[in-house]
Amino acid sequence: MTEGISKKELKKEKIPRVPMPEQDPEKRSGNFNEVTLGYTEEDALREASRCIQCKNPKCIKGCPVGIDIKEFIRLIGEKKFDEALEKIREKNGLPAICGRVCPQEDQCEKECILGIKDDPVAIGRLERYVADREMKHIAEGIKECAWSGVTKKCTKEKVAVIGSGPAGLVCAAELAKMGYQATIFEALHKPGGVLVYGIPEFRLPKEIVLKEIEYVKSLGVKIEVNMVIGKILTIDDLFKNGFMAIFVSTGAGLPYFMGIPGENLNGVYSANEYLTRSNLMKAYKFPECDTPIVKRLHAAVVGGGNVALDSARTAKRLGAKKVYLIYRRSEEEMPARDEEIEHAREEGIEFQLLTNPVEIIGKDGWVSKIRCIRMKLGEPDDSGRRRPLPVEGSEFEIEIDVVVMAIGQGPNPLLASSIPDLNLTRWGNIKAEAVTGKTNVRGVFAGGDIVTGAATVILAMGAGKSAAAAIDEYIRTGVW
Amino acid sequence: MYKIIKKERLTEDKDRFYIKAPLIAEKARAGQFVVIRINEEGERIPLTIADYDRKNGIISIVSMRVGKTTTLLSGLKQGDSIQDVVGPLGNASEIKNFGKVICIGGGVGIATMFPITRELKRAGNYIISIIGARSRDLLILKEEMKNVSDELYICSDDGSQGYHGFVSGFLKEYLDKDLSGRTDKEISIARVVAIGPAQMMAAVAEVTRPYGIKTIVSLNSIMVDGTGMCGACRVEVGGKTKFVCVDGPEFDAHQVNFDLLLSRQKIYCNDEGVCFDLYKHKCKLPYNN
């Protein structure tokens, strides 16, 4: 018996984790509707009752923004759903999003004491439940939206936020809460960054993102779309226009390719393009929407992260009969969320693990086959994961007609290259102080993927939040 | 929303739009482009900035009716608005005093060529312009080009005006004449800039290659965001993959893999047909439109 766990706690352990209601795999792989349907009130109460209200809750330490998880679950247990949501909002302004896309198994739920002998409390699902519940109640007129139609007036200094993804939205929201006039400049025609162009509808409905953005706007944040900073306005223009500080959160918007032969053949996409066409441009609704996307029967997606799985599942929904997920390491090393891996398997995505493409073969300008080599795992590399090594003589070919490269994204250099003195890493990421996000250029802060390289929504949000505090201090004190 | 201040029909299939976009007009330089989206369901397409009026905050674009989006655009009138206009994107043309420069524009590419020609002229170059179209009725910006050129030559595929043939054919004759007239056997042309359909630019590149004349082309590949985010516009230049939107749009013609460009331009040919047919069906437009 584990020391220090009371009888009461052990009894709680016996209630099994409440499963998430989901669309049937066969049905859902033919539509773009959300896969997970969300807890009912009964589910939420039952799951909340599993929480043992630890004296020293480790889950909170596992949360990058430090949500008081113990307390919000306690409030759910008492059916105080609105209060639970307010408790989350103290630290996290986008709960409906984080409840869906955070890798909880690597964060809060990883630390949950129940997880030692049993499944941890489904913290993410509970977070989503209270956020969705409010949206539903507002939509049904049961609850009045506290912020609908309201735009708070902010009167303090002007701050510019570049990029409207998770880091930018949160930074601007925090600044507005403090009374600053925050303006977000977005390069695309819709705000939301990766939440809108990258993560598919079936995992994060755009309606939800839109509502969370409406909330941010209600705080007094202004959002200007179609503004490619570095082109239409420079950083210097922004300073001249009276912005006292600038937060750069332009994300990881540069697609990587492998550098193997055949990557420029028709039918080969970067995941960024594939997902942007499908999500932002709604190519899955073509020809009702005007943006086309190549739809074929056999697709290969290269990579093992969430972006790769999103691409593979998108290909399936676009009508591919066979979708191969080609990843050079084993499932253990896949950076994707566990739930996404499980969902992809259920939907019939075929995993080609310990496999790496060496060439894409074309016919008449179009991709026709992908030649791969089997890999084995060697000694751990810099990332701590075992390094994949090719197995000599193990090459083989798969017949396919679409390839999506989802091997990672780098920092988009467009803005950084327009600020000549800005210090960058050798990969092109902006060098910024860990907590404050301060760069070497006075008044310029940075956070999110543009600093860390492609990471998670919640980490970017955490960076936005802590940078907002640092921006406040800088504007108040003038000390750099 | 971006308001159309004025619209001019240049030929039966080409229109010029003057659009209110003060911030873009302020920063725009010759050779750059914008990405536009007509409406909520619309696709994003790149169009070159044909001119800019900083004082009045207006940019102009020239569009040729080809598929659904350009047909929708062509249907817009003065006072209507375009949902999204983003720019200025891409790198500006290199403008310097090179000496004698040949500026070649084909079809709707003449609109792109015009501001570049004007800036090259302002920089002190001697400008020889060669512009061409399928037929004289389809030729645009003749007067504008004449005003910024020292010599202007017109070509038409059907012989209805000027030289009977392609601009590349005329260029070859021009260069041969230039060379044979010189005792030092050194060509007097410092640079050729050619903008038009990919086939035309490829042909021009082959004409100038043996003479070793630096030749610049502006590539018109398919794009989505136009900011280096998606890679749809990738081309091969000097054996390396480049993104037209952020590395270009102008490249050394002798390094460009035009076969790949042509192939990639055709990715969505069938899809575009499907989309356009559906639109024509809904609007009861004649199919031969």
Side-chain angles (χ1 to χ4, degrees), chain A residues 45 48 71-81 83:
Chain A
L45 289 172
E71 182 60 9
F72 99 73
I73 295 181
R74 190 186 67 79
L75 289 165
I76 291 178
E78 292 179 7
K79 294 196 177 184
K80 292 177 179 161
F81 300 110
E83 287 169 49

Side-chain angles (χ1 to χ4, degrees), chain A residues 286-300:
Chain A
F286 181 89
E288 279 76 35
C289 287
D290 297 341
T291 304
I293 192 164
V294 172
K295 295 179 191 175
R296 294 287 190 277
L297 292 177
H298 305 94

Side-chain angles (χ1 to χ4, degrees), chain A residues 189 237 263 269-270 272 290, chain B residues 27 44 68 230 234 268:
Chain A
H189 56 263
D237 291 333
E263 275 183 308
Y269 284 106
S270 73
N272 267 3
D290 297 341
Chain B
K27 285 283 158 68
R44 294 170 64 103
K68 179 178 170 186
C230 80
R234 58 196 193 277
Y268 301 105

Side-chain angles (χ1 to χ4, degrees), chain A residues 24 215 281 303 470 473:
Chain A
D24 174 65
Y215 167 71
M281 306 309 297
E473 195 188 316

Side-chain angles (χ1 to χ4, degrees), chain A residues 57-68:
Chain A
K58 295 201 163 146
C59 49
I60 300 177
K61 293 191 191 93
C63 174
V65 295
I67 295 173
D68 190 346

Side-chain angles (χ1 to χ4, degrees), chain A residues 327-382:
Chain A
Y327 181 53
R328 64 195 180 125
R329 302 179 196 251
S330 70
E331 187 167 332
E332 185 122 330
E333 289 84 16
M334 281 175 76
R337 293 176 82 218
D338 290 351
E339 191 182 62
E340 311 312 327
I341 296 173
E342 195 185 311
H343 284 160
R345 276 200 198 284
E346 288 169 4
E347 288 165 17
I349 307 298
E350 190 176 306
F351 286 40
Q352 290 281 343
L353 301 171
L354 287 168
T355 302
N356 207 25
V358 290
E359 185 184 359
I360 300 166
I361 299 160
K363 200 181 160 205
D364 305 324
W366 284 81
V367 49
S368 65
K369 286 181 206 168
I370 188 162
R371 184 200 291 276
C372 301
I373 189 163
R374 296 288 184 200
M375 310 291 279
K376 61 181 180 209
L377 294 178
E379 294 300 306
D381 63 11
D382 296 346

Side-chain angles (χ1 to χ4, degrees), chain A residues 10 253 263-264 326:
Chain A
L10 276 177
E263 275 183 308
N264 291 334
I326 301 174

